[in-house]
């Protein structure tokens, strides 16, 4: 191996060691996001079943819930202890947030699109809201061909219409804007 290769490896390892990591708070948020989501779902389940169902039917689900809550508590304790016990050079909170947003920008836009989809469905109805959501998510996902986006969106909605409205007889939300499709058969 040449000395040039050894020098490059040494320089790379030094730069990797001095690279700053995200701020402690941001690292904790990243590590605890999923356990927090699990905790939220557990609490929502508990809220939706408490005093509504007979306790004898909930013994097994509540045992699983209790086990899940215990595991979440252990994960919280471990991650907090591990993160706080290892002091490292960190970025500022604003730099860490910028890095986080640049890593998760597509995911954040998809979540915002989903929230918008749910919000406008009652107003404009299922099919127009679904069309907008499909177009937006395809564009966010990197599809730049508008013809492809249009064809896929329309084909998907036609398939959904045939399956749910025609075959199964399910009426999706129509919203305040009444758009009725009639089937000739």
């Amino acid at each position: 191996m040449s000395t040039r290769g050894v020098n490059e490896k040494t320089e790379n390892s030094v730069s990797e060691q001095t690279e700053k990591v995200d701020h402690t708070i941001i690292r904790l948020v990243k590590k605890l996001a999923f356990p927090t989501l699990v905790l939220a779902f557990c609490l929502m389940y508990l809220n939706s079943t408490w005093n509504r169902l007979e306790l004898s039917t909930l013994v097994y689900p509540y045992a699983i819930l209790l086990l899940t809550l215990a595991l979440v508590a252990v994960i919280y304790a471990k991650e907090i202890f591990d993160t706080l016990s290892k002091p490292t050079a960190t970025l500022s909170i604003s730099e860490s947030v910028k890095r986080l947003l640049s890593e998760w920008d597509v995911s954040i836009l998809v979540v915002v699109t989903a929230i918008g989809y749910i919000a406008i469905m009652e107003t404009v109805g299922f099919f127009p809201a679904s069309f907008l959501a499909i177009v937006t998510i395809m564009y966010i996902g990197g599809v730049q061909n508008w013809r492809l986006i249009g064809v896929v969106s329309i084909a998907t909605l036609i398939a959904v219409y045939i399956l749910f409205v025609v075959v199964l007889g399910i009426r999706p939300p129509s919203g305040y804007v009444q758009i009725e499709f009639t089937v000739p058969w």
Side-chain angles (χ1 to χ4, degrees):
M1 179 180 267
S2 69
T3 57
R4 189 173 122 198
V6 171
N7 289 340
E8 286 176 4
K9 284 185 177 180
T10 306
E11 288 174 11
N12 287 341
S13 64
V14 168
S15 68
E16 287 173 3
Q17 290 173 354
T18 59
E19 182 180 330
K20 290 185 175 182
V21 296
D22 286 332
H23 193 274
T24 305
I25 293 172
I26 301 300
R27 284 188 296 156
L28 279 174
V29 166
K30 284 180 176 180
K31 290 180 178 182
L32 298 177
F34 183 72
T36 302
L37 188 63
V38 170
L39 179 65
F41 281 129
C42 287
L43 293 176
M44 288 189 309
Y45 178 78
L46 185 65
N47 182 47
S48 68
T49 59
W50 193 260
N51 286 333
R52 292 190 179 106
L53 298 173
E54 191 175 319
L55 188 59
S56 64
T57 62
L58 293 171
V59 172
Y60 179 72
Y62 280 4
I64 298 296
L65 185 73
L66 187 61
L67 179 65
T68 304
L69 292 174
L71 288 173
V72 166
V74 168
I75 291 170
Y76 262 80
K78 180 192 177 307
E79 294 297 343
I80 290 171
F81 177 76
D82 287 350
T83 302
L84 296 179
S85 67
K86 298 175 187 170
T88 57
T90 62
L91 296 170
S92 67
I93 289 182
S94 62
E95 289 297 318
S96 295
V97 169
K98 286 178 187 175
R99 181 191 283 184
L100 179 71
L101 290 177
S102 70
E103 291 172 359
W104 290 86
D105 59 347
V106 172
S107 300
I108 292 169
L109 289 174
V110 168
V111 168
V112 168
T113 301
I115 292 169
Y117 172 65
I118 293 168
I120 68 169
M121 189 184 305
E122 285 295 318
T123 305
V124 299
F126 174 79
F127 289 105
S130 296
F131 178 79
L132 290 174
I134 293 169
V135 168
T136 305
I137 288 174
M138 286 183 72
Y139 185 76
I140 290 169
V143 179
Q144 300 294 322
N145 185 342
W146 287 103
R147 279 190 184 156
L148 178 65
I149 291 174
V151 168
V152 168
S153 301
I154 292 170
T156 302
L157 292 176
I158 289 171
V160 167
Y161 181 81
I162 291 170
L163 178 65
F164 288 98
V165 177
V166 176
V167 175
L168 297 175
I170 298 172
R171 303 300 291 171
S174 60
Y176 299 121
V177 179
Q178 299 292 324
I179 299 175
E180 285 294 322
F181 300 102
T182 57
V183 182
W185 56 87

